[in-house]
Amino acid sequence: GDSVTQMEGPVTLSEEAFLTINCTYTATGYPSLFWYVQYPGEGLQLLLKATKADDKGSNKGFEATYRKETTSFHLEKGSVQVSDSAVYFCALSDRILGGGSYIPTFGRGTSLIVHP
Amino acid sequence: EAGVTQFPSHSVIEKGQTVTLRCDPISGHDNLYWYRRVMGKEIKFLLHFVKESKQDESGMPNNRFLAERTGGTYSTLKVQPAELEDSGVYFCASSQNRPGGNTEAFFGQGTRLTVV
């Protein structure tokens, strides 16, 4: 079945450091790929997505490129801020249901802690 | 517009007791999903409603879990009797039903259930 593997956390960085959170996936077909973020005390939010190979999703300075050849979707940010501290979830979806809705399959999540 | 709302935000119960979690989706969203994250593990799909009908309940762990969505509005997830391994964060999400295209699922902040 489909699965997502993320690097284990927590990832601890100083402000303005470069961030990479690795994500690889296993899926049949051609899934869409996502990064979700959960800030403390809040719900899951969609951070960015890519729907086909070589697409790059980007939002709030974060980027991830859909790499079909390596089945990866690594999350990167050039300069992290304290406010980026959160749990980040990589996810995929190839279960398109009637009505156009999808059901994501999530990874375990990676906690990011950014110190001033 | 209000987002997906979950009640309670945190519940601590004793093993063998009953707990009912509630989810209010975004108004107009026919799709409603329940997910669960056990500590440090993946966010796992539990089930999916389209309006009041259960579209997919393949992720429900066992018959101690009962989900309902009477009238196709809010949903409840009852755990009876609760066991220690039921502890985790229960997320609810909703999305529109729109033929012909992927629709984003919006998540609530989750209910943290602790069974002692």
Side-chain angles (χ1 to χ4, degrees):
Chain A
D2 296 348
S3 67
V4 174
T5 303
Q6 291 181 236
M7 61 187 291
E8 289 195 20
V11 173
T12 304
L13 297 173
S14 297
E15 206 165 23
E16 299 184 0
F18 184 84
L19 168 72
T20 300
I21 299 178
N22 290 337
C23 171
T24 57
Y25 67 90
T26 302
T28 55
Y30 303 96
S32 295
L33 302 175
F34 310 87
W35 277 99
Y36 283 82
V37 58
Q38 185 180 22
Y39 298 103
E42 298 184 14
L44 283 169
Q45 302 173 27
L46 179 62
L47 179 61
L48 54 84
K49 69 178 182 181
T51 57
K52 61 183 188 296
D54 299 325
D55 269 2
K56 177 185 284 186
S58 61
N59 185 24
K60 298 182 181 180
F62 291 90
E63 292 183 342
T65 301
Y66 190 141
R67 301 287 188 200
K68 186 171 180 294
E69 64 276 13
T70 54
T71 61
S72 65
F73 193 55
H74 305 321
L75 183 68
E76 296 182 336
K77 186 173 185 182
S79 176
V80 294
Q81 305 300 312
V82 172
S83 57
D84 294 327
S85 297
V87 182
Y88 292 81
F89 295 89
C90 187
L92 68 82
S93 179
D94 63 1
R95 296 174 65 183
I96 306 299
L97 307 176
S101 60
Y102 62 84
I103 299 177
T105 296
F106 289 90
R108 293 190 172 199
T110 302
S111 177
L112 170 65
I113 302 168
V114 181
H115 293 294
Chain B
E1 180 182 352
V4 177
T5 310
Q6 293 186 243
F7 305 96
S9 57
H10 192 184
S11 178
V12 180
I13 61 170
E14 293 185 350
K15 176 182 172 181
Q17 288 186 322
T18 298
V19 63
T20 300
L21 314 180
R22 172 169 169 149
C23 170
D24 286 72
I26 292 173
S27 178
H29 282 192
D30 287 341
N31 294 300
L32 188 149
Y33 313 88
W34 283 99
Y35 284 81
R36 175 174 73 171
R37 186 187 188 210
V38 173
M39 179 67 74
K41 297 195 174 180
E42 301 89 346
I43 300 175
K44 288 204 168 182
F45 167 78
L46 297 179
L47 88 160
H48 169 217
F49 284 99
V50 177
K51 296 185 180 179
E52 67 275 9
S53 299
K54 292 177 185 175
Q55 184 80 12
D56 182 344
E57 52 183 330
S58 60
M60 294 288 265
N62 51 61
N63 59 10
R64 295 185 293 103
F65 289 75
L66 175 64
E68 294 180 322
R69 193 183 182 195
T70 306
T73 54
Y74 69 91
S75 175
T76 58
L77 180 64
K78 181 191 290 187
V79 185
Q80 178 183 29
E83 298 291 342
L84 298 179
E85 64 264 25
D86 300 332
S87 297
V89 180
Y90 289 77
F91 290 102
C92 176
S94 72
S95 69
Q96 289 181 312
N97 216 18
R98 189 170 65 222
N102 285 355
T103 57
E104 180 184 344
F106 294 87
F107 284 79
Q109 66 182 36
T111 293
R112 180 175 296 279
L113 174 64
T114 304
V115 183
V116 297

